[in-house]
Amino acid sequence: MTETRYQILKFVGLFVGFIAKFCTGSIFVFNVYQDAIKNTFNYTQKEVELLSSMLNVGLGVGFVPGMFYDKFGPTLASGAGLVISVPVFLLLWNTSKHVEFYSNNSWLMSIYFLLVGFGSVFTYMVALNTNVINFDKKHSGKIVGFLNAFFAGSPSVFATIYYNVFSDGDSTIVENQDFPGFMLFFAVLYGVVNLLCMIFLRIHIAPTETTENVTVKYYKDMNGVTMDGNKEIKIITEHTATSAFDKEMDDSAEDALSLRHILCNSEFHLFSWLFAFASSTALVYGNNITVASKSVGLDTYNDKLVIIIPITNAIVSASIGLISDFFKEKVPRLNIVLCACVSLVISQTLILIYAEKLTVFVIATVFTGIGVGTIWSLCPTIMKEQFSVEHLGRNWGMALLWAAVMAFAAQEVFGALYDAEIPEGGGNFCYGKHCIVNGYATFLGVAVVSVCLAVFIVVRKKCKS
């Protein structure tokens, strides 16, 4: 393979990775159509939170797609994503034809959303892992940051599409929204994107010529006669990696840990739970933006509120990778993650006290976008640098699992607290700031824990050094 061809294939793969990440960001647009689901199937808020939670659980079982990728590579992982995602989106499209059945069987709908999250992780892992492996580790922050910018920014695009293409008339009226058509759109999108990944996303290793001195005891002369004696010769070899990870492991400053060792590694658990607490705070906040806005009478701004986090997230993701790579020696990535956790505490505090004020609501949402953009961009890079790239899919997948467990618990608590504030005979919606205060107090507590974990890890590392 020539150097030119290698570079072209590598950057084509990165471009397809951007598309794949953009597609998988659609799982974070649930807040846009959750009111349509609630209204169509007459679900309680707790039932709606269950659907969102199961979507996150599907994302959280990412260690399975991660291990699948580590073992079988990007092509089969993309194929698995296609086989899972397309049928389940078609099932969701079909639910509107059987409203009475699904109204009484929300558990089945929740399984569909679990599979949506699970299928998307295959595509997510292919886009992330393949490009992290293909590019030199000195560019890890930039690559992960740019990929996450597409992942994080896409919900704003999908939200705009939903409100303008899949709504008839006033998009704030849920009866005008076309939730089934949106699911059919995703079925087609995931099918096309996974096919692109199967074709173009490959692990490319640049062949390099190396010269080395080798001493041989027996060799053949120009006539093919075997001769005795010691002779030093120069051998020029073309090195081609024999496995997907030889490129990274040649550096071998990173030792891959077995599953048993990684599960017994306290640093891995501390870092994974730090990500889990921070990520779940931002995730549940984002999923319930429209619930909170409706409660405090700001739902007329929903089409604008739901795009704040994705846009902020995308901007932060694109810039934080560059910044963290440039200042890596002066400002450790973990210190930046600590600042991100603090921004989440600020956002939860603001929304808890001033939720009914539009300006403060917007500022709090921006702080959430800053926090989530930073942790989702830097945490995979830190995971790769500290625990090796060889099992990045498995290790990052387990961190996603912890985050999903936390998000599941937080959303169920939020749903129960919200429903408890609805007066008897008041329907499925609650109005007033009191409806969401207890839920956001819970999120604030979770965010504070993430800050405590980040401080502990940073101090511990300084003490060790």
Side-chain angles (χ1 to χ4, degrees):
M1 180 189 298
T2 64
E3 178 66 20
T4 302
R5 184 167 184 265
Y6 162 69
Q7 293 294 339
I8 291 173
L9 290 175
K10 189 170 68 170
F11 279 96
V12 167
L14 180 61
F15 178 73
V16 174
F18 289 154
I19 296 174
K21 279 282 201 166
F22 185 88
C23 175
T24 55
S26 63
I27 61 176
F28 295 118
V29 79
F30 181 85
N31 56 7
V32 172
Y33 55 78
Q34 68 170 327
D35 283 347
I37 293 176
K38 188 174 184 177
N39 183 72
T40 301
F41 300 100
N42 197 33
Y43 288 156
T44 65
Q45 187 60 36
K46 189 174 182 180
E47 286 177 309
V48 174
E49 294 291 336
L50 176 63
L51 302 185
S52 180
S53 297
M54 293 303 280
L55 181 63
N56 297 332
V57 169
L59 174 66
V61 192
F63 72 94
V64 175
M67 293 176 72
F68 186 94
Y69 176 94
D70 291 343
K71 186 172 180 62
F72 297 107
T75 303
L76 288 180
S78 299
L82 186 151
V83 169
I84 296 171
S85 296
V86 174
V88 75
F89 275 117
L90 290 175
L91 285 171
L92 284 170
W93 165 69
N94 191 55
T95 56
S96 63
K97 304 180 188 302
H98 308 280
V99 172
E100 184 177 353
F101 174 78
Y102 285 103
S103 295
N104 299 315
N105 293 279
S106 59
W107 64 270
L108 183 56
M109 181 85 86
S110 70
I111 292 176
Y112 293 166
F113 277 101
L114 183 147
L115 291 174
V116 165
F118 183 64
S120 70
V121 183
F122 281 94
T123 313
Y124 170 94
M125 286 293 180
V126 169
L128 174 66
N129 293 10
T130 308
N131 284 292
V132 166
I133 293 168
N134 279 344
F135 286 84
D136 192 281
K137 64 181 182 180
K138 68 182 179 182
H139 300 302
S140 292
K142 291 184 281 290
I143 295 301
V144 176
F146 285 133
L147 285 167
N148 195 61
F150 282 84
F151 179 63
S154 68
S156 62
V157 177
F158 289 125
T160 302
I161 291 173
Y162 182 71
Y163 284 126
N164 291 279
V165 178
F166 293 94
S167 295
D168 183 19
D170 186 352
S171 61
T172 62
I173 301 175
V174 293
E175 289 81 1
N176 294 341
Q177 298 173 8
D178 183 13
F179 159 73
F182 202 40
M183 296 300 101
L184 182 61
F185 166 71
F186 281 138
V188 175
L189 180 65
Y190 271 83
V192 171
V193 169
N194 277 295
L195 284 174
L196 287 174
C197 290
M198 292 176 70
I199 297 170
F200 294 107
L201 268 175
R202 298 281 192 277
I203 295 171
H204 302 293
I205 310 297
T208 57
E209 286 192 342
T210 59
T211 303
E212 55 183 330
N213 294 330
V214 179
T215 301
V216 296
K217 291 187 176 181
Y218 302 97
Y219 66 96
K220 290 185 178 182
D221 66 8
M222 61 183 297
N223 298 312
V225 178
T226 301
M227 307 292 291
D228 293 324
N230 293 322
K231 181 175 182 180
E232 190 176 77
I233 61 173
K234 287 186 182 292
I235 298 179
I236 299 177
T237 60
E238 186 181 74
H239 171 69
T240 301
T242 56
S243 79
F245 307 102
D246 283 354
K247 179 182 177 184
E248 285 284 347
M249 299 317 290
D250 282 348
D251 267 334
S252 242
E254 311 163 333
D255 294 321
L257 296 174
S258 68
L259 180 60
R260 182 172 65 86
H261 284 96
I262 202 73
L263 289 175
C264 296
N265 187 297
S266 61
E267 290 188 359
F268 173 79
H269 279 284
L270 283 170
F271 181 71
S272 296
W273 282 107
L274 157 64
F275 170 76
F277 278 94
S279 174
S280 60
T281 300
L283 187 64
V284 179
Y285 180 96
N287 282 344
N288 288 286
I289 282 181
T290 54
V291 176
S293 66
K294 193 177 188 70
S295 295
V296 297
L298 299 175
D299 50 318
T300 54
Y301 300 98
N302 276 352
D303 58 336
K304 299 174 181 63
L305 291 173
V306 295
I307 67 174
I308 293 174
I309 289 180
I311 291 175
T312 308
N313 195 341
I315 294 171
V316 170
S317 297
S319 56
I320 202 69
L322 288 168
I323 294 170
S324 67
D325 275 352
F326 188 78
F327 294 104
K328 182 181 176 183
E329 301 303 323
K330 295 180 180 179
V331 184
R333 299 192 208 272
L334 271 171
N335 291 30
I336 303 176
V337 171
L338 170 58
C339 294
C341 294
V342 172
S343 75
L344 292 175
V345 171
I346 294 172
S347 71
Q348 305 309 303
T349 303
L350 289 174
I351 203 74
L352 183 62
I353 301 174
Y354 301 109
E356 71 281 2
K357 298 183 182 299
L358 177 62
T359 302
V360 179
F361 200 115
V362 170
I363 293 172
T365 306
V366 169
F367 270 105
T368 300
I370 293 171
V372 71
T374 302
I375 60 175
W376 275 87
S377 294
L378 295 188
C379 287
T381 305
I382 296 171
M383 184 73 75
K384 176 240 178 180
E385 291 173 343
Q386 292 193 358
F387 305 105
S388 101
V389 72
E390 184 171 356
H391 295 301
L392 176 62
R394 179 198 69 190
N395 297 342
W396 183 236
M398 286 192 288
L400 293 178
L401 176 60
W402 307 161
V405 170
M406 283 301 307
F408 181 90
Q411 292 207 171
E412 288 303 293
V413 169
F414 181 88
L417 293 173
Y418 178 93
D419 286 339
E421 294 295 329
I422 300 176
E424 188 174 349
N428 293 331
F429 293 95
C430 182
Y431 299 95
K433 183 181 171 183
H434 67 280
C435 304
I436 58 174
V437 166
N438 293 331
Y440 280 106
T442 303
F443 301 160
L444 176 59
V446 175
V448 169
V449 173
S450 73
V451 171
C452 294
L453 285 173
V455 170
F456 179 78
I457 295 172
V458 169
V459 172
R460 187 186 189 191
K461 281 193 171 293
K462 284 186 177 179
C463 291
K464 282 187 176 182
S465 60

